[in-house]
Amino acid sequence: MSLTDIARIFFKQRQRELQRHQHEGETLQREVLTHLLNQAKDTEYGINHVFGGKKDYESFIRNTPVNTYEELKGDIDRMRQGETDVLWPGRVKWYAKSSGTTNDKSKFIPVSPEGLKRIHYKGGADVVALYLRNNPKSRMFDGRGLILGGSHAPNYNLPGSLVGDLSAILIENINPVVNLVRVPSKQTALLSDFEIKRDRIAREAMTKNVTNLSGVPSWMLSVLNRMMEITGKQHLEEVWPNIEVFFHGGVAFTPYREQYEKLITSPRMHYMETYNASEGFFGIQDDPTDKSMLLMLDYDVFYEFQEMGTDTIVPLWGVEKGKNYAMIISTSCGLWRYMIGDTIQFTSTNPYKFIISGRTKSFINAFGEELIVDNAEKGLAYACQKTGAVVSEYTAAPVFMDDNAKCRHQWVIEFTKKPADIKEFAGILDRKLQEINSDYEAKRYKDITLQPLEIITARSGLFNDWLKAKGKLGGQHKVPRLNNSRDIIEQLLELNEIES
């Protein structure tokens, strides 16, 4: 009996439990809320917000405000200094340094032992459970998994307390048994210099029988390309004949899909999206024929949703398909009614399935056009399909008014494969955005409010250089896609001019 056969037996019970997601979403979420309030009722935050009283949803929202990081950071800093029973029982020693912020000031998200076990590791296990359910011929455990991670550092020099990328925290605390089926070594995985780490990972992994990959698409691609350089091979299956799946998350996969399909030509290759962040593990693509993800409802995460453009906040059982919602979470890491910053749209409510539509702060709405990341990804994918281009990285921002009093959107795009005619590419993208976003279409009407979008071609490596200059190269860091402000795009344009 192979290791994969043994794993199938291990995951069967969980596969049965996950069937409750089909019809019992409200029940599961009410159970989670009751559990969280019972656990935290004697903390400082729990006492101040009457968690010890009635455990129903109505009482919870009546006594607990919606929070951003700013509202909780004072309590989180006290926890980082070693105080106990503040937002969650006991002492929290681990803090995920969030890459979700686009400014220089980092956010530090508490990661409690309960959160590690009942959110993050539970999510990772469910990804495997669902993959094995959908792929009865899988042999993934008969080889190794290549798992990319970031790094960590001491927290205020307190003994045993560390801050770092969530991926580094997960690797540091992982069950030692898992290390038998993963690469690279823990020492390599936790290196802070990504350029050195990329080379070491490539060299360590190239001689192993790797069957599965886990990580952020952009950084994984960088590692795989380095390995292709070292080995002189053209396709990944020449190095790893048994490669079968890439579990990806962190950024949208659409801009990278074509590059992966060129690199990995095996018909047995699968791609499975996950929605895991510093704040929690929220969704898994449970059906390979459906791009939406299943919202995970029996972890230590209670969900609420604010309809974008309104003050209306509803629990899970109050959502509607097709609306754009900002996600609010309460978790066993001490985040209470916390506005995470991501927006989603439900594609189904039985079971609850969704797509990530963008960020509450990652959009362009300078002229009422309400352009979100989901629009941008679809528009770029279409333009690439029509022109044969391949986009590596991009960002966009508004030009509020130039010397000719013309307003437009300006895109900086780094191509792996440039289109033959950049103006044609821009025109296709612009028309597709009008087709899928009526607000953008209205503002583009007869070029009155918005002129045609402008594309500036970035030199090779521009976005990596920008991340490196910000100290954000590698790990889970990513380039903000859309922004109402021109701060980021101006920095990129300046770097583009310096090196070109």
Side-chain angles (χ1 to χ4, degrees):
M1 183 178 283
S2 70
L3 279 176
T4 307
D5 293 329
I6 295 169
R8 286 187 189 284
I9 297 169
F10 175 79
F11 285 108
K12 270 195 186 318
Q13 176 61 33
R14 181 56 182 162
Q15 289 167 348
R16 286 192 290 269
E17 290 173 1
L18 284 168
Q19 292 174 8
R20 290 189 69 192
H21 282 65
Q22 296 294 319
H23 306 292
E24 300 180 48
E26 180 177 347
T27 300
L28 289 171
Q29 276 290 275
R30 289 189 184 275
E31 289 173 357
V32 168
L33 179 60
T34 300
H35 169 74
L36 291 175
L37 295 177
N38 275 330
Q39 291 293 107
K41 68 182 188 306
D42 295 323
T43 63
E44 182 181 308
Y45 196 88
I47 292 168
N48 290 340
H49 296 89
V50 204
F51 288 1
K54 290 181 69 177
K55 304 296 192 298
D56 59 13
Y57 175 65
E58 291 71 24
S59 299
F60 174 59
I61 62 172
R62 186 167 55 249
N63 295 317
T64 312
V66 173
N67 295 295
T68 64
Y69 185 77
E70 293 302 312
E71 277 85 47
L72 294 180
K73 73 175 184 178
D75 287 336
I76 291 173
D77 198 59
R78 289 168 52 208
M79 294 165 68
R80 289 185 62 204
Q81 298 282 0
E83 289 193 39
T84 61
D85 302 319
V86 181
L87 294 173
W88 189 252
R91 182 184 171 200
V92 177
K93 296 182 178 181
W94 289 90
Y95 296 86
K97 193 173 181 180
S98 174
S99 61
T101 179
T102 56
N103 55 33
D104 291 334
K105 189 180 290 184
S106 296
K107 293 188 284 190
F108 298 91
I109 306 301
V111 182
S112 69
E114 293 83 0
L116 269 175
K117 180 180 178 181
R118 293 174 58 89
I119 301 175
H120 295 292
Y121 288 140
K122 192 172 184 179
D126 280 352
V127 171
V128 176
L130 290 168
Y131 177 73
L132 291 177
R133 184 198 70 183
N134 293 335
N135 296 278
K137 294 183 179 179
S138 169
R139 312 297 328 157
M140 66 172 285
F141 283 105
D142 296 354
R144 302 285 190 95
L146 171 56
I147 303 174
L148 291 191
S151 59
H152 56 61
N155 168 51
Y156 287 148
N157 293 318
L158 293 176
S161 184
L162 297 171
V163 299
D165 290 340
L166 174 70
S167 52
I169 294 172
L170 297 178
I171 289 171
E172 183 66 47
N173 290 280
I174 206 164
N175 187 316
V177 174
V178 178
N179 287 321
L180 299 176
V181 293
R182 61 169 289 276
V183 289
S185 66
K186 186 174 173 181
Q187 181 183 16
T188 297
L190 296 177
L191 284 171
S192 58
D193 188 315
F194 181 74
E195 291 170 302
I196 294 173
K197 176 157 68 175
R198 175 177 56 190
D199 189 74
R200 288 196 189 175
I201 291 173
R203 293 181 187 280
E204 283 185 31
M206 58 190 269
T207 59
K208 303 294 191 299
N209 175 28
V210 172
T211 61
N212 59 97
L213 312 171
S214 300
V216 177
S218 52
W219 302 122
M220 182 64 75
L221 191 63
S222 181
V223 170
L224 298 182
N225 284 335
R226 177 59 184 144
M227 192 170 68
M228 294 295 97
E229 290 173 6
I230 295 170
T231 61
K233 305 294 186 184
Q234 235 183 333
H235 299 116
L236 195 63
E237 59 267 33
E238 295 177 72
V239 181
W240 298 325
N242 299 311
I243 189 72
E244 63 173 83
V245 61
F246 178 24
F247 303 113
H248 60 86
V251 298
F253 191 54
T254 304
Y256 304 98
R257 178 175 290 278
E258 186 173 343
Q259 296 174 75
Y260 275 93
E261 289 176 348
K262 284 182 177 178
L263 181 63
I264 309 169
T265 59
S266 168
R268 301 194 312 269
M269 188 64 188
H270 301 89
Y271 298 92
M272 190 169 176
E273 185 172 10
T274 65
Y275 178 18
N276 54 325
S278 300
E279 296 86 352
F281 201 119
F282 310 122
I284 301 171
Q285 184 183 6
D286 68 320
D287 180 351
T289 66
D290 182 359
K291 290 184 179 179
S292 60
M293 288 182 276
L294 181 70
L295 190 67
M296 308 313 294
L297 304 177
D298 62 351
Y299 299 0
D300 274 2
V301 182
F302 180 77
Y303 299 97
E304 295 175 84
F305 304 91
Q306 180 174 7
E307 186 178 343
M308 292 298 285
T310 77
D311 294 326
T312 304
I313 297 175
V314 295
L316 179 72
W317 50 94
V319 301
E320 298 177 34
K321 290 191 294 183
K323 289 189 174 180
N324 206 32
Y325 291 104
M327 197 159 75
I328 299 168
I329 59 171
S330 298
T331 79
S332 59
C333 291
L335 301 178
W336 298 106
R337 302 198 77 196
Y338 180 83
M339 186 77 72
I340 188 174
D342 289 339
T343 62
I344 70 169
Q345 291 178 0
F346 284 92
T347 59
S348 166
T349 55
N350 192 23
Y352 290 95
K353 299 185 74 169
F354 68 96
I355 60 167
I356 301 171
S357 54
R359 298 273 302 167
T360 55
K361 293 182 179 178
S362 185
F363 59 88
I364 302 178
N365 193 28
F367 313 103
E369 65 274 45
E370 297 188 24
L371 191 75
I372 61 175
V373 173
D374 185 59
N375 301 154
E377 300 287 353
K378 287 176 179 173
L380 285 170
Y382 183 78
C384 286
Q385 177 192 334
K386 289 296 181 182
T387 63
V390 179
V391 171
S392 171
E393 297 285 359
Y394 74 92
T395 194
V399 174
F400 293 97
M401 201 166 286
D402 64 11
D403 294 338
N404 299 312
K406 291 182 178 179
C407 303
R408 64 189 182 281
H409 287 182
Q410 189 177 57
W411 295 63
V412 175
I413 302 179
E414 185 176 329
F415 292 97
T416 302
K417 180 183 178 184
K418 295 179 182 178
D421 186 337
I422 195 69
K423 288 185 178 179
E424 179 194 15
F425 184 94
I428 294 171
L429 173 59
D430 191 58
R431 289 189 293 274
K432 189 64 176 179
L433 292 176
Q434 293 180 58
E435 179 186 322
I436 60 182
N437 183 322
S438 58
D439 291 310
Y440 182 81
E441 180 184 35
K443 300 304 177 289
R444 282 284 294 111
Y445 180 68
K446 292 188 176 180
D447 299 351
I448 295 172
T449 304
L450 276 178
Q451 299 291 308
L453 64 82
E454 172 193 12
I455 292 179
I456 296 173
T457 303
R459 61 172 173 79
S460 178
L462 173 66
F463 286 84
N464 271 5
D465 289 347
W466 181 81
L467 286 168
K468 188 175 181 180
K470 292 288 181 182
K472 293 184 175 184
L473 187 63
Q476 294 178 310
H477 301 296
K478 43 195 177 281
V479 178
R481 298 307 194 189
L482 305 178
N483 206 310
N484 256 353
S485 159
R486 288 192 56 82
D487 293 349
I488 291 169
I489 204 167
E490 291 291 355
Q491 293 167 14
L492 285 161
L493 290 172
E494 185 178 349
L495 265 181
N496 204 39
E497 288 180 5
I498 290 172
E499 298 293 333
S500 59

